[in-house]
Amino acid sequence: KKLTKEELAAGGLAEYDAIIIRSATKISAAVLKATTAVPGSKLRLVARAGVGVDNVDLKAASAVGVMVVNSPLSATNSVVELALAHLLSQARMIPRADRSLREGKWLKADLTGHELAGKNLGFIGFGRIGQGLGRVAKALGMNVHVYDPFLPQHVVDAFGATRHDTVEDVFRACTHITVHAFLSDKTKHMVNEQMISLMPGVAPDGTKCGNHIVNCGRGGIIDEVGAAAALKTGKLTSLALDVFEKEPCGASPLFESQNFQGSPHVGASTIEAQNRVGAEIAMAVLAALDGAPPPGNLVNKDVHPKFAPPKAKM
């Protein structure tokens, strides 16, 4: 059943024990308050079919006793492969090569790329997806640099990675940056024109490879206007985005640059990931409704569900 924004705001979810959403649906504090204020409201679970939960007000959910679960494992490999595809496409200028060839141009002399081996790859966030990409990057001969204040040190040590205490230090050290953080007040527009200006442009092996950024994490972490300006001045050599501050993305100053490449939030859009996400979120919903949400799926761990859990049925 499709509900309008007005119906959501009026407590239209109150008749459901659980709802499953994707990234486009916003479950705000107002929606949660209106829903749980309805006499006899049944809602006690919001399930995000995917990883990011910035479209759900977690604090408000906990306050009204609504559990929030997600499916963090299902899309990991698919997003890792997409981020790698963007890194390789940037290094070898594949989108530009394809476009020029279709236009009848043979720009071989203008399309000298660079290898990823020997380059510093900086991770903003080093969770499951970051670590998955880190393993592939190391196999390609890249040097892994990490900024993640929540990461246990033993994970960094196991990778043989270089840890940085600030985001600025990662940007100073790396010609290649990949973003895998959640969107929050702290991370919004974290990657802006000033931050990009810190990047060195020259790799440890002496290659003048320029500066390259990939974001397959969450839209809004990169200041798209500032990134477009950096592309225009040449300080940023290439930018690859799978996520945007506003989705669907309409007109953007990024589209004016031949060194921008994008994809329409397709990180989890593989046959395998979609099969896994359905199974994972279904099992998490059943377990949560039975009163035992899987620890790996429960997001708002401080929640105190206000309903006695009946036994869920398949």
Side-chain angles (χ1 to χ4, degrees):
K1 182 179 179 180
K2 185 174 182 179
L3 298 178
T4 65
K5 290 182 179 179
E6 291 73 22
E7 288 173 321
L8 288 174
L13 297 175
E15 64 180 289
Y16 304 100
D17 291 279
I19 59 168
I20 299 176
I21 62 173
R22 298 303 299 261
S23 59
T25 303
K26 311 295 182 185
I27 304 299
S28 65
V31 169
L32 288 163
K33 184 177 180 180
T35 299
T36 54
V38 174
S41 175
K42 297 179 180 179
L43 186 68
R44 49 199 167 93
L45 178 67
V46 174
R48 165 72 167 97
V51 181
V53 289
D54 47 279
N55 54 326
V56 181
D57 191 315
L58 298 177
K59 184 180 292 186
S62 294
V64 295
V66 172
M67 295 176 285
V68 180
V69 297
N70 68 350
S71 50
L73 301 176
S74 54
T76 298
N77 200 59
S78 295
V79 179
V80 166
E81 290 184 0
L82 180 64
L84 175 64
H86 275 305
L87 282 167
L88 289 166
S89 292
Q90 289 175 313
R92 299 310 303 270
M93 296 182 277
I94 293 174
R96 183 182 172 196
D98 176 74
R99 287 192 298 265
S100 61
L101 197 60
R102 292 171 186 270
E103 294 169 358
K105 302 174 183 177
W106 191 261
L107 300 181
K108 182 176 181 178
D110 296 333
L111 295 170
T112 301
H114 64 273
E115 297 178 354
L116 293 179
K119 310 306 182 292
N120 287 354
L121 177 60
F123 288 79
I124 309 303
F126 203 59
R128 290 185 182 92
I129 294 171
Q131 291 171 38
L133 182 58
R135 283 187 282 271
V136 179
K138 282 180 68 69
L140 291 172
M142 301 191 81
N143 308 309
V144 174
H145 290 247
V146 174
Y147 170 74
D148 189 329
F150 307 105
L151 189 70
Q153 184 60 39
H154 69 83
V155 176
V156 180
D157 295 339
F159 269 85
T162 300
R163 186 171 203 161
H164 296 272
D165 293 330
T166 67
V167 181
E168 289 82 358
D169 285 346
V170 176
F171 275 77
R172 291 188 183 98
C174 299
T175 53
H176 295 67
I177 296 287
T178 180
V179 179
H180 301 283
F182 286 113
L183 179 65
S184 67
D185 291 340
K186 185 175 182 180
T187 61
K188 183 176 176 63
H189 289 183
M190 173 187 285
V191 181
N192 50 41
E193 191 173 6
Q194 181 179 359
M195 190 73 73
I196 293 168
S197 71
L198 301 176
M199 298 177 74
V202 180
D205 61 7
T207 304
K208 295 179 180 179
C209 58
N211 300 313
H212 311 268
I213 297 175
V214 174
N215 185 9
C216 291
R218 304 304 293 173
I221 295 175
I222 291 182
D223 174 5
E224 294 170 16
V225 174
L231 283 169
K232 190 171 184 178
T233 63
K235 181 58 184 177
L236 183 60
T237 309
S238 72
L239 174 66
L241 298 182
D242 182 54
V243 289
F244 296 83
E245 188 160 357
K246 182 179 180 181
E247 296 183 359
C249 179
S252 170
L254 294 171
F255 299 161
E256 299 172 12
S257 174
Q258 65 179 355
N259 295 321
F260 169 77
Q261 60 191 54
S263 49
H265 205 151
V266 296
S269 297
T270 63
I271 297 169
E272 296 85 351
Q274 292 306 299
N275 288 339
R276 287 192 295 264
V277 73
E280 185 181 359
I281 202 65
M283 295 307 294
V285 167
L286 288 172
L289 291 179
D290 280 346
N297 298 95
L298 182 65
V299 180
N300 57 337
K301 300 184 187 300
D302 60 337
V303 67
H304 297 288
K306 62 179 182 179
F307 299 102
K311 199 72 176 175
K313 303 295 184 182
M314 290 288 282

